[in-house]
């Protein structure tokens, strides 16, 4: 009973680190959450509590959720402040997810056979119940 949007697109910018690219992805996800909150509100569906944004980069999650953290990379400032603003407003909540259960890693990381099969199986072979 929860809407899920799976989104995949090549980023428009080239980042020199995973920290920067993860913040760009978090900003894009945050923009989609705000868009969905607005759409649901317009059709009369109440949104209770923050939406969860799952990520596997602990540095990004820590930087966006702890108000006293400082940004060391100034070229990521727009994405950083945009995400932190929505976290502070309790619109989104950043949550760490391990690579062993992260479905997004199917297409983005080299995984060993058992982990890959464990993640792919529910996506490809859905059981009707």
């Amino acid at each position: 009973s929860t809407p899920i949007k799976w989104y995949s697109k090549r980023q428009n910018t080239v980042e020199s680190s995973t920290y920067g690219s993860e913040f760009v992805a978090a900003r894009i996800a945050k923009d989609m959450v705000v868009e969905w909150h607005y759409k649901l509100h317009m059709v009369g569906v109440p949104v209770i509590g923050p939406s969860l944004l799952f990520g596997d980069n602990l540095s990004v999650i820590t930087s966006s959720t702890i108000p006293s953290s400082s940004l060391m990379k100034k070229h990521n400032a727009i994405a950083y402040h945009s995400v932190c603003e929505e976290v502070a407003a309790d619109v989104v909540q950043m949550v760490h997810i391990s690579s062993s259960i992260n479905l997004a890693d199917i297409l983005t990381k080299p995984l060993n056979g058992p982990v890959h099969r464990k993640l792919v199986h529910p996506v490809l072979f859905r059981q009707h119940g």
Side-chain angles (χ1 to χ4, degrees):
S1 299
T2 301
I4 296 173
K5 183 169 185 174
W6 192 304
Y7 178 81
S8 177
K9 182 182 176 214
R10 189 179 313 184
Q11 292 180 353
N12 294 331
T13 60
V14 176
E15 296 292 333
S16 60
S17 67
T18 52
Y19 182 85
S21 61
E22 293 273 347
F23 252 119
V24 169
R27 183 194 49 80
I28 292 168
K30 181 271 311 174
D31 290 343
M32 289 181 182
V33 166
V34 170
E35 173 189 341
W36 273 95
H37 277 216
Y38 181 74
K39 286 179 181 178
L40 291 170
H41 177 73
M42 294 306 293
V43 296
V45 177
V47 178
I48 301 167
S51 297
L52 303 179
L53 293 183
F54 293 99
D56 59 1
N57 190 315
L58 281 172
S59 298
V60 171
I61 293 169
T62 303
S63 296
S64 62
T65 55
I66 298 175
S68 62
S69 64
S70 61
L71 180 65
M72 297 297 176
K73 301 175 186 213
K74 297 299 181 194
H75 63 280
N76 295 326
I78 293 173
Y80 170 80
H81 290 294
S82 177
V83 172
C84 290
E85 185 177 290
E86 297 302 330
V87 169
D90 209 28
V91 174
V92 298
Q93 180 181 353
M94 300 289 287
V95 179
H96 181 260
I97 185 169
S98 169
S99 287
S100 64
I101 59 171
N102 189 354
L103 289 176
D105 286 350
I106 295 170
L107 301 173
T108 59
K109 292 184 179 170
L111 301 170
N112 65 33
V115 172
H116 188 266
R117 276 190 294 283
K118 182 181 116 187
L119 293 174
V120 169
H121 192 271
V123 175
L124 295 180
F125 305 104
R126 183 173 161 212
Q127 294 183 354
H128 299 284

